[in-house]
């Protein structure tokens, strides 16, 4: 599986958009980009995933560059409850039973 | 649905003791996995299963055994606990590709294990 690179930490003001970047320059053509988050002490929670088109759901938006070497997770109106570690993972569709988690980005939403 | 459940929530062992961490899911998922998470680190895959009777090793399998006799349950056994196995253990399940496939892994709440 391709490796991802994320900033160690980021801050965001409550109510503002949080934009979390991820580099995955060695991604293969059949690999998807998945985002999970882990709120302190809890199990990780799925957020969104995509292949090459931008995706949006009730939690977030995922923007993938045209060359697919990087992506950005957008939380449009961050709240204090969005404070968590966010993991960007790449993998083949249907192989999510063996995800490779890095250290992720600690997003702190400040009042 | 209860989702993915894990027991116990907390456990303290002495070096050399054995124990089984329980994991169950009620979503009829074929895929199940065990991860461990050490402080300040991401999750590392220990073992996984793609169906009843089928298991395979992940990144850090040494010191752990698994079996999968039913779709619902996937216990993790520590054969002889060591301080290096002090960690938080997460179990997860996910559906197989098919009708209504969501490509999502669902995690349990974790078991916090301390080995003295």
């Amino acid at each position: 599986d391709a490796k991802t690179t994320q900033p160690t930490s980021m801050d965001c003001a409550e109510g503002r958009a949080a934009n979390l970047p991820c580099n995955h320059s060695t991604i293969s053509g059949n690999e998807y980009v998945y985002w999970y988050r882990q709120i302190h002490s809890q199990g990780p929670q799925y957020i969104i995933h995509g292949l090459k088109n931008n995706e949006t759901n009730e939690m977030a938006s995922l923007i993938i560059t045209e060359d697919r070497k990087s992506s950005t997770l957008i939380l449009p109106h961050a709240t204090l409850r969005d404070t968590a570690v966010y993991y960007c993972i790449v993998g083949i569709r249907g192989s999510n039973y063996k995800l490779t988690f890095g250290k992720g980005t600690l997003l702190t939403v400040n009042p | 649905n209860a989702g993915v459940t894990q027991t116990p929530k907390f456990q303290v062992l002495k070096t050399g003791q054995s124990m089984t961490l329980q994991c169950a899911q009620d979503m009829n998922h074929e895929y199940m996995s065990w991860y461990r998470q050490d402080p300040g680190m991401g999750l590392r895959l220990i073992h996984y299963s793609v169906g009843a009777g089928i298991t395979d090793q992940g990144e850090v399998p040494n010191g752990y055994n698994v079996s999968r006799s039913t779709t619902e349950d996937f216990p993790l056994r520590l054969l002889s606990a060591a301080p290096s196995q002090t960690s938080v253990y997460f179990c997860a399940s996910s559906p197989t590709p098919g009708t209504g496939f969501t490509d999502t892994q669902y995690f349990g709440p974790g078991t916090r294990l301390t080995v003295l």
Side-chain angles (χ1 to χ4, degrees):
Chain A
D1 289 344
K3 184 178 178 180
T4 63
T5 304
Q6 300 178 251
T8 301
S9 63
M10 296 181 63
D11 287 316
C12 176
E14 187 177 19
R16 303 298 295 269
N19 296 279
L20 292 92
C22 178
N23 286 322
H24 32 78
S25 59
T26 60
I27 191 170
S28 301
N30 62 346
E31 286 184 313
Y32 283 67
V33 180
Y34 298 87
W35 284 83
Y36 282 75
R37 74 179 183 184
Q38 185 175 25
I39 297 171
H40 181 61
S41 298
Q42 299 180 18
Q45 174 192 24
Y46 166 85
I47 302 173
I48 198 168
H49 73 281
L51 181 63
K52 56 183 178 181
N53 297 321
N54 298 338
E55 302 286 346
T56 296
N57 63 20
E58 66 278 4
M59 290 183 67
S61 295
L62 173 61
I63 308 298
I64 302 174
T65 58
E66 190 170 347
D67 63 7
R68 302 208 325 121
K69 292 185 178 181
S70 66
S71 60
T72 301
L73 178 74
I74 301 172
L75 308 179
H77 305 287
T79 70
L80 299 180
R81 289 175 294 180
D82 292 322
T83 292
V85 176
Y86 288 76
Y87 298 99
C88 170
I89 302 164
V90 295
I92 298 172
R93 182 172 170 82
S95 67
N96 54 26
Y97 53 89
K98 50 178 182 176
L99 297 176
T100 300
F101 286 79
K103 295 184 180 181
T105 297
L106 173 60
L107 174 68
T108 302
V109 180
N110 301 304
Chain B
N1 286 353
V4 180
T5 58
Q6 292 184 239
T7 56
K9 285 186 171 58
F10 301 92
Q11 183 70 49
V12 178
L13 293 177
K14 294 181 179 179
T15 296
Q17 287 184 315
S18 63
M19 80 158 294
T20 299
L21 307 185
Q22 301 292 344
C23 174
Q25 53 92 9
D26 61 358
M27 297 174 282
N28 200 32
H29 289 166
E30 289 296 320
Y31 297 158
M32 296 187 75
S33 308
W34 276 103
Y35 296 85
R36 62 175 286 175
Q37 185 173 34
D38 300 323
M41 304 290 289
L43 282 72
R44 291 185 293 169
L45 183 65
I46 306 172
H47 285 284
Y48 63 92
S49 169
V50 296
I54 306 170
T55 64
D56 205 347
Q57 297 180 352
E59 179 186 357
V60 288
N62 291 341
Y64 307 95
N65 269 2
V66 292
S67 60
R68 183 100 178 269
S69 57
T70 67
T71 299
E72 295 77 19
D73 301 298
F74 190 40
L76 179 72
R77 283 182 287 275
L78 280 70
L79 308 174
S80 177
S84 60
Q85 294 179 303
T86 293
S87 190
V88 181
Y89 291 84
F90 290 101
C91 179
S93 74
S94 52
T96 51
T99 303
F101 180 58
T102 60
D103 208 10
T104 301
Q105 194 167 42
Y106 299 85
F107 286 82
T111 293
R112 283 144 186 82
L113 176 68
T114 301
V115 183
L116 303 176

